């Protein structure tokens, strides 16, 4: 158990809908990262938050947005869903985004299926 | 752009048959190279971080090594419970995101 929690574990929805994925980082971790894992793309970085502020963006679609709240939990919002958004979404956390060398610990993931 | 290539894509081993996985990378200044293990439908589980060429780390039957262009994950006398996908990732000096390879799926038969 990494200490990172994600809810829900599974999500089934229809095209055009909007969903929210939730992540709680390990106790004491200030940075949260979101990754998408699909069969054809592998693990891809989406976005990073550090202590409530957006720090880095990867290949995140404009239909996707995220935020980190004062209690440091984070939410990833996916809207106007398409079939191709079906994937595993992982959250990871690390102590701080400013230390030279650090490790990201991953949560169990949310499996999203868009029908 | 950071690039990570893992080989082979899949590896089938007999219990006790040692082998190595390769991770080749290009990155503009390496902050760290990470190895993770991932079981089907689960999140990646951290194994090792390597920071500089020549560094080695060990954990049970696994040993990771690093050169300036590649990393190896050696599995010594594997057991069926070592069956998993092993992921390699790099973190650039000017960034915090991890760039992952496609992984090597290891199957160990009893």
């Amino acid at each position: 158990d990494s200490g990172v929690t994600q809810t829900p574990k599974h999500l089934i929805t229809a095209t055009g809908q909007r969903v929210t994925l939730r992540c709680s980082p390990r106790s004491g971790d200030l940075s949260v990262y979101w990754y998408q894992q699909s069969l054809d793309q592998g693990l891809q970085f989406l976005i990073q938050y550090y202590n409530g502020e957006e720090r880095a963006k990867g290949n995140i679609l404009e239909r996707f947005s995220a935020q980190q709240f004062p209690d440091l939990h984070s939410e990833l919002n996916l809207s106007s869903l398409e079939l191709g958004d079906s994937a595993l979404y992982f959250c990871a956390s690390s102590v701080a985004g400013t230390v030279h060398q650090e490790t990201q610990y991953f949560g169990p993931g949310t499996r999203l299926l868009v029908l | 752009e950071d690039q990570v290539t893992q080989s082979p894509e899949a590896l089938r081993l007999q219990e006790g048959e040692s082998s190595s996985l390769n991770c080749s990378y290009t990155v503009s200044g390496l902050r760290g190279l990470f190895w993770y293990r991932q079981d089907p439908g689960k999140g990646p589980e951290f194994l090792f971080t390597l920071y500089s060429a020549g560094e080695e780390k060990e954990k049970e039957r696994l040993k990771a090594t690093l050169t300036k262009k590649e990393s190896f994950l050696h599995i010594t006398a594997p057991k069926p419970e070592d069956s998993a996908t092993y992921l390699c990732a790099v973190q650039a000096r000017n960034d915090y995101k991890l760039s992952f390879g496609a992984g090597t799926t290891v199957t160990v038969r009893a």
Side-chain angles (χ1 to χ4, degrees), chain B residues 22-94:
Chain B
N22 178 263
C23 170
S24 298
Y25 65 91
T26 55
V27 62
S28 54
L30 180 71
R31 170 177 285 153
L33 184 140
F34 299 79
W35 282 99
Y36 288 85
R37 169 196 170 122
Q38 186 175 27
D39 293 307
K42 303 284 181 68
E45 175 190 340
F46 170 72
L47 293 173
F48 304 108
T49 311
L50 300 166
Y51 300 114
S52 55
E55 191 173 1
E56 298 183 352
K57 288 197 175 169
E58 280 188 75
K59 179 181 176 180
E60 296 181 357
R61 295 176 293 282
L62 300 177
K63 178 180 175 180
T65 61
L66 181 65
T67 72
K68 287 187 177 178
K69 293 184 178 180
E70 57 191 351
S71 176
F72 292 93
L73 184 66
H74 308 279
I75 309 178
T76 302
K79 298 183 177 182
E81 53 262 42
D82 295 322
S83 297
T85 295
Y86 291 86
L87 298 167
C88 172
V90 296
Q91 189 178 56
R93 195 165 290 136
N94 62 346

Side-chain angles (χ1 to χ4, degrees), chain A residues 31-33 45-50 53-56 97, chain B residues 96:
Chain A
S31 262
V32 169
Y33 307 77
F45 168 73
L46 294 177
I47 196 164
Q48 178 201 1
Y49 276 82
Y50 170 68
E53 301 285 328
E54 181 184 306
R55 167 147 297 184
Chain B
Y96 293 96

